[in-house]
Amino acid sequence: MAAGGAVRHEACLGWASRSMGSGVFVQQGTHERRDVPDQPAVENVADRDATVTALVRRADDHPAMIVPHGETLTFERLHTSVAQLGRELRTAGVAAGDTVALSLGNGPDMVACFLAILAMRASAAPLNPAYTASEARAYVDDLRPRALIIQPSVGLGAAEACAALEVPVHELAATGRGERPFTLGLEMAAEAVEHPRGDDVALLLHTSGTTSRPKVVPLRQVNLASSMLAIIDSYQLGPEDVSHCVMPLFHVHGLLASTLAALASGGTVLVPPRFSASAFWADTTEHGATWFSAVPTIHQVLSLRAEQEPVPRHALRFGRSCSAALSVTLQARVEELFRVPLLQAYGMTEAAHQMSTNPLPPAERRPGSVGCATGVEIALFDEDWHRSTVPRARWRSAVARSSRDIATTLRPTRRPFATAGSGPGSRPRLVRRLPDPGGADQGADQPRRGEDLAVRGGGGAARPPGGRRGCRLRRAG
């Protein structure tokens, strides 16, 4: 037994499962491990045929997306909408390999349009609909899309930037008709069957510019599918789950974690047009949300409101925090007020979002830690890219708390965009710093100066749902 009672295992350098024992959580949701029935899976997600469109395959009348006080889109209607929008995109001249920019608000129409672009074997490039023309111009100039899709009174800055570059702009509108809920106002071309592949570039995102000027990162279908399956497995998502999406869908956090992973699990996504702290608990309880994911700022806003108004009974079984460091104090406060575990995860644009997360109870989660690797391998390197000689016993602390560089190797692309490496086995370059959620802890467990964290296989082999049962940290060489 290691210190603290965690069982050590030769293949598992993270901590092993053990009872929470704190008595903090009230049994409002289901916190124990569940068997998830009929969960979609891909035999081998490392296969180049793994695609987002193959994972989002449920097609019955189960609710796929719900807009509070608005429409409910079933999986059947979602697939119908995707096929119809794909035919309209073909009329607009979009073909395999093209880029389509999106400047849309949150809603089922954004998701249907995104999936239609992927089904066409084209690449989607979501833009913040709040961008002014000058802000959008730099991004559009980088992307040079075949077309831009906006909504009435939404995305006007991007539309102005595209007009200046003579990029066609199409307006996506809701029809209110069940047989064709969304339309671009174009004729539907003759149906032609496309067969998306895992190596299709599906999503184009700009980095945040932490280390230099923002760069365009191309993520392939297999990259996204890998991360979706890792998220499903990490949180045991299934058809009975309802994700409350409070993040914008132009952000990979909201699009991939809160929405696509939930849909791929066969569950439902509750998607308000925008985050509202005053409506959060009413919507959560009315629609039976079982989990939500947000940045720490939103958790802070919700906790402040919960201090003024008691949190009602709810069906949440966990909350998730990602995209920024979660303080130990805020985590404890949220768990006390909401009466659910708050699981901190770590994501990175170049790794198709989630790279690590703290596990669900009864496994141990550690405040101030970003948890265990999910679908990727994390290892320590020195500044010359040699494997680190830090003792194994220190690895957990180094991964959880040190402010070190992270690199990831994505699959090669034919496009002239920035990637973190030229292919599997290449020497990756440093692209992002891991925040230090634990604050200025510079104890003996910290790695020596110059040692780095690297992620290997950012596009790669996530285990199918049910395949990961512990935290795996391996040396990469």
Side-chain angles (χ1 to χ4, degrees), residues 337-412:
L337 291 167
F338 298 178
R339 304 184 293 279
V340 293
L342 182 59
L343 310 177
Q344 181 171 198
Y346 184 72
M348 190 169 85
T349 304
E350 296 86 348
H353 191 51
Q354 181 171 295
M355 295 193 303
S356 68
T357 185
N358 278 266
L360 286 167
E364 180 190 2
R365 69 193 186 290
R366 294 193 171 186
S369 166
V370 294
C372 313
T374 61
V376 295
E377 293 182 0
I378 299 177
L380 294 171
F381 288 82
D382 63 22
E383 57 192 5
D384 295 319
W385 292 104
H386 299 136
R387 289 182 300 179
S388 173
T389 57
V390 174
R392 291 163 65 97
R394 293 192 194 174
W395 281 25
R396 290 180 297 182
S397 178
V399 169
R401 296 198 300 268
S402 65
S403 297
R404 298 298 171 208
D405 292 306
I406 286 185
T408 178
T409 300
L410 299 179
R411 294 179 181 271

Side-chain angles (χ1 to χ4, degrees), residues 253 293-296 299 319-324 326 342-346:
H253 184 160
S293 184
V295 291
H299 291 299
R320 177 179 182 269
S321 185
C322 196
S323 302
L326 176 69
L342 182 59
L343 310 177
Q344 181 171 198
Y346 184 72

